[in-house]
């Protein structure tokens, strides 16, 4: 799993690619942490472009659910 990013004004667009499964979910969560902190502080907006994700397991979906709650 790789995570690319681009900035557009006050938004960070993240582009995960590959598989988000049990083996990579912790790395995905760790990679999201600084972006979520900026989003929760009101400095940034966060957009996830999941078009490059080949597969996402329930563990990966849990990471997304928790990230959504943390960003609010």
């Amino acid at each position: 799993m790789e995570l690319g990013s681009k900035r557009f004004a006050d938004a960070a667009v993240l582009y995960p690619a590959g598989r988000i499964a049990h083996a990579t979910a912790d790395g995905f969560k760790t990679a999201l942490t600084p972006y979520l902190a900026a989003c929760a502080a009101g400095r940034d907006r966060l957009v996830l472009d999941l078009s490059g994700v080949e597969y996402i397991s329930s563990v990966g979906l849990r990471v997304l659910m928790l990230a959504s709650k943390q960003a609010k």
Side-chain angles (χ1 to χ4, degrees), residues 24-63:
T24 58
D26 283 337
F28 181 51
K29 182 179 178 182
T30 302
L32 287 178
T33 301
Y35 298 102
L36 291 172
C39 186
R43 294 189 312 257
D44 282 339
R45 296 180 187 268
L46 187 60
V47 177
L48 289 173
D49 179 353
L50 299 174
S51 63
V53 175
E54 299 169 9
Y55 171 81
I56 187 165
S57 71
S58 60
V59 177
L61 292 174
R62 183 176 187 276
V63 170

Side-chain angles (χ1 to χ4, degrees), residues 1-28:
M1 197 280 308
E2 298 176 19
L3 185 66
S5 65
K6 289 186 181 178
R7 295 209 43 85
F8 297 96
D10 65 342
V13 181
L14 303 180
Y15 302 91
R19 297 173 57 89
I20 304 174
H22 184 72
T24 58
D26 283 337
F28 181 51

